[in-house]
């Protein structure tokens, strides 16, 4: 999207499918959305990956999650209503953004130099740790990715799964070990519960939410990956097309939410804590440049 007249920004209406889902749910929310459509309010389309508690679609067809709530707050202040478009394949999120299929990505996506070369990231919104989904009892005794690497190198027959384009896949590549790539968090969960993988690495808060009602699995304590003595702190944010004319205003509203404490109020509804709120001096620019020095200062 190059400006507000992008194909993905549509005046006055959510999609027919979204309206059908919301109408089926009934209640005030559906009436509110229909009223917004009738008023001629512009709708911004954000892509999601269906990962709890970041952004997902409920069984009732409602868009939900911490990053969706944040998007609705900020884009609402900018004069837009928000419509979520589910993109099950994580690898398709940024390419779809470049192809103008939607206006932004709201999925808690990690800010990395590789991704910054293809898209523009808002300032950090959520910091997170990694965890491992394993069989109940953790038969291999692995608590982090370095443990998995050591077990593999010692001859253990462990199958590890990660999102194929997730930050955990980058860690695994740097460790020089093999992993099965999956397209979504649900696929990773299915790999473990179906016995096709022994370990699935993902953000701790996502795994905890997914495993809550799943028998036969457990989630390790969250950890910050240690790569040769350097802690790999991760932070995610909303993603825009390169040269987006929305980014600056979005960041201004985000900064206000951080300063007022409202950011924690919004994402705290979905299990995030103060530990996941990025410090004021952590910037998207530093993360895009791969500058981990500022992150090490945070630990100090």
């Amino acid at each position: 999207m190059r400006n507000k007249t992008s194909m993905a920004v549509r005046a006055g209406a959510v999609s027919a499918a979204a309206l059908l889902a919301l109408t089926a749910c009934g209640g005030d929310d559906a009436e509110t959305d229909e009223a917004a459509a009738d008023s001629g309010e512009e709708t911004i389309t954000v892509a999601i990956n269906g990962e709890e508690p970041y952004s997902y679609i409920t069984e009732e067809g409602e868009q939900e999650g911490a990053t969706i709530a944040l998007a609705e707050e900020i884009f609402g202040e900018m004069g837009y209503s928000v419509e979520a478009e589910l993109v099950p394949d994580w690898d398709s999120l940024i390419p779809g953004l470049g192809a103008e299929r939607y206006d932004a990505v709201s999925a808690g996506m990690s800010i990395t130099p590789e991704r910054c070369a293809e898209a523009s990231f808002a300032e950090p919104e959520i910091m997170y740790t990694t965890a491992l989904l394993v069989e109940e009892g953790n038969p291999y005794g692995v608590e982090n990715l370095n443990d998995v690497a050591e077990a593999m190198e010692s001859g253990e027959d462990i199958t590890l799964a990660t999102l194929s384009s997730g930050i955990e896949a980058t860690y695994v590549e740097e460790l020089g070990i093999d992993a099965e790539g999956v397209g979504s968090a649900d696929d990773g969960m299915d790999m473990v519960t179906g016995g096709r993988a022994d370990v699935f690495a993902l953000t701790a808060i996502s795994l905890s939410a997914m495993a809550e009602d799943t028998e036969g699995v457990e989630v390790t304590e969250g950890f910050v990956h240690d790569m040769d003595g350097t802690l790999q702190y991760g932070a995610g944010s909303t993603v825009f097309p390169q040269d987006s004319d929305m980014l600056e205003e979005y960041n201004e509203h985000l900064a206000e939410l951080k300063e007022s404490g409202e950011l924690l109020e919004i994402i705290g509804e979905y299990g995030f804590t103060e530990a996941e709120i990025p410090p004021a001096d952590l910037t998207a620019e530093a993360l895009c440049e791969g500058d981990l020095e500022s992150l090490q200062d945070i630990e100090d």
Side-chain angles (χ1 to χ4, degrees), residues 51 78 84 102 167 180 252 256 297:
E51 180 182 344
M78 294 170 63
Y102 27 82
I167 191 64
E180 294 288 334
E252 290 173 357
E256 292 172 0
D297 291 342

Side-chain angles (χ1 to χ4, degrees), residues 127 233 279 281-282 293-300:
M127 294 186 72
Y233 281 96
D281 57 352
L282 178 63
E293 183 176 347
S294 58
L295 298 178
Q296 301 309 304
D297 291 342
I298 291 170
E299 172 64 11
D300 293 339

